[in-house]
Amino acid sequence: MEGRIDLAHEAPFRLGTLEVRPALRQLARDDCMEDVLEPRVMQVLVALARADGAIVSRDDLTRSCWEGRVVGEDAINRVVSRLRRAAEGIGQGSFRIETITKVGYRLLREGQGEVAPAEDSPLARARAEAHRLRLDRRAMLAGAGLAVVTVGGGLYTWRHFIASDPALTDKPPPDVAPLMIQAQMAMTQGTVEGGNQAIGLLRRVVSLRPDYADGWGLLALSYSAAAVGRPQQYEADMRARAAEARRRALALDPGNAYARAADGLNKPVLGNWTVAERGLRTSLASHPHNDMLVSSLAGVMLGVGRCTEAANLIDGIWKRVPPNPGLAYTHVQTLWAAGRPDEADKAMDDAVALFPTHFAVWFTRFYLLMYTGRVREAIALGENRGTRPTGIPEWNFEQVLIVARAMLSRAPRDIEAAAAISLEGAHRGAGFAENGIQFLSGLGRVDEAFAVADAYYFARGFDPGELRFSTEQGTYTRRNARRTHLLFLPPTASMRTDARFLRLADELGLVRYWKDAGVRPDYQATG
């Protein structure tokens, strides 16, 4: 094994249909799909590919990829698991990572021999889950629906969605059922990586079963989600692919639920809450046990300030379906917004136990601690590099730590620094603007919070753009899909007591919704 792997000087190479570009940390497939790996993950892939089928020991990997530092088995296991997800997702079987018990690993290219999936691989877990669920379609629909609700780390929904009753539909063909479940597991990650994996798996499904309507329908849903959450230059291509997959699904099954959901993603709910709610409640009257519809309604309710109802809806789903990261942190968020702090803490413990390093779970935990009087615990969490999620730039963690330290000290100089970095971040991306609104409100800088809200929703003063956070994460929020649920979370309580809040709600169309629906948002009902 050679010395330390320097990605900047590694030449591109191929693994079947994939071109591996170490310097860019990219996996590029021949059909133009791409995935970006974390630096350490790419180093391990290069190390295994260099061995050309030979076994690479854990010690070899620590020398070449961790500069010889002592690392735990969990660190290596996480990297190998990530590579296996890439192999089964965007790789479509172009390579496999085989575990040689108590020795190490080897990379096998497509055609180098049929290797059963490792017991801890995503595909093996998917097969086990398929057996456990007995291929229950209701659970599969729930997984896909929650992916739509939480795609990109936020709440989305759609209008005019009518699902067929899951109990009346056929089970998936046995040869593609594990792939379908694995694709839905990938979708619930709420990341670009998860979306790419889902698309890759579903392309495999429809190549194996071109007459399977749900395969095409879920592929259409995945492409539609990608069109919403990717850079704008990819939107037209993703929408075209979604339209074709949707056409194939509806030709096979005119009432296909996934295909109709895909069409709904083209219709942003911002400003259209009345239509969205009516459509969902009408559908639920006929299909009361469809968790896809329930989760979508929860998203609408949270976005219009009906947090108690949103929490009750998510409670029901949480008790019925297999957990996933998007559902886990959404459960925490809705309980917190509904004024159920003890239950939110319990749900947070569950989420951390299940998904300790998922980025959305980690940040939800950080903010819950920071905003509920446990700032020291939040700071300790942020300073513990060993538990941080991967793929997040160092400066992002420092930003939230500056805010937390200001929350703790309440010193004018610290608050000034935290406000400055929050405003600077809001100019950098839509997700940072969402955080900035909450940071500034929590720090008592309400004027600046409203200024960022004006920029975020209406591009007044400045335009945060559509990129959410860093280019490494690669997620986007369209201007016609700006999120309103953050206006009803505990951190923005000081905004809701200000006269300007009602003017903001009116301009967004929320006041019109409350009037048309004959309801008051929770913050008005409780004072």
Side-chain angles (χ1 to χ4, degrees), residues 211-402:
D211 59 345
Y212 180 43
D214 275 0
W216 288 108
L218 196 53
L219 180 59
L221 187 59
S222 297
Y223 278 135
S224 293
V228 178
R230 304 289 174 85
Q232 201 162 28
Q233 61 263 35
Y234 300 123
E235 183 176 2
D237 179 60
M238 292 294 105
R239 291 203 185 282
R241 291 172 183 264
E244 174 59 19
R246 180 176 177 275
R247 183 189 67 77
R248 297 286 296 267
L250 293 177
L252 294 164
D253 173 15
N256 187 262
Y258 295 130
R260 291 180 179 271
D263 184 51
L265 273 184
N266 295 322
K267 305 176 179 70
V269 73
L270 183 66
N272 295 302
W273 297 287
T274 300
V275 175
E277 182 186 359
R278 286 174 181 167
L280 288 165
R281 291 194 187 280
T282 298
S283 298
L284 280 166
S286 302
H287 311 284
H289 302 299
N290 188 306
D291 291 321
M292 179 185 285
L293 298 174
V294 175
S295 63
S296 300
L297 182 59
V300 174
M301 293 297 96
L302 194 59
V304 297
R306 297 170 68 177
C307 307
T308 298
E309 186 166 356
N312 291 338
L313 291 166
I314 295 295
D315 270 347
I317 298 170
W318 181 255
K319 294 169 184 174
R320 289 194 294 268
V321 304
N324 62 72
L327 175 59
Y329 83 81
T330 301
H331 191 215
V332 175
Q333 197 173 63
T334 54
L335 289 169
W336 186 28
R340 296 160 60 182
D342 291 342
E343 292 172 78
D345 281 345
K346 173 61 170 63
M348 190 75 257
D349 290 342
D350 291 342
V352 171
L354 291 165
F355 313 105
T357 58
H358 186 276
F359 75 97
V361 171
W362 190 95
F363 278 103
T364 299
R365 182 186 183 193
F366 183 92
Y367 296 141
L368 184 66
L369 292 170
M370 184 175 76
Y371 288 119
T372 56
R374 294 168 286 182
V375 189
R376 293 184 189 279
E377 292 180 51
I379 292 171
L381 175 66
E383 291 177 343
N384 186 344
R385 296 173 183 271
T387 63
R388 289 178 178 177
T390 59
I392 310 294
E394 173 68 25
W395 54 261
N396 199 160
F397 293 107
E398 187 55 33
Q399 181 192 50
V400 297
L401 282 168
I402 288 171

Side-chain angles (χ1 to χ4, degrees), residues 446-491:
V446 181
D447 290 347
E448 290 100 324
F450 277 107
V452 175
D454 271 351
Y456 174 69
Y457 291 113
F458 311 113
R460 287 199 293 255
F462 65 91
D463 185 353
E466 296 189 339
L467 177 68
R468 287 193 57 72
F469 297 106
S470 66
T471 53
E472 290 92 334
Q473 290 167 273
T475 54
Y476 294 76
T477 295
R478 296 283 180 261
R479 289 176 176 82
N480 63 358
R482 297 305 206 204
R483 306 171 184 193
T484 54
H485 71 284
L486 60 102
L487 298 175
F488 304 102
L489 297 179

Side-chain angles (χ1 to χ4, degrees), residues 176-208:
V176 298
L179 296 173
M180 288 288 288
I181 293 175
Q182 173 68 9
Q184 291 167 90
M185 290 168 61
M187 290 173 71
T188 63
Q189 296 297 316
T191 62
V192 173
E193 167 200 329
N196 285 341
Q197 291 168 14
I199 288 171
L201 289 160
L202 292 165
R203 286 172 61 89
R204 175 64 64 88
V205 168
V206 297
S207 70
L208 293 171

Side-chain angles (χ1 to χ4, degrees), residues 15 18-21 24-29 33-37 42 45 82-83 86-87 90-91 95 196:
L15 289 173
L18 291 180
E19 181 180 14
V20 182
R21 303 165 182 165
L24 298 174
R25 306 188 347 252
Q26 291 178 341
L27 301 179
R29 205 166 62 200
M33 293 302 299
E34 292 183 358
D35 194 359
V36 178
L37 302 181
M42 180 59 80
L45 178 59
R82 171 68 177 91
L83 285 175
I90 191 172
F95 68 97
N196 285 341

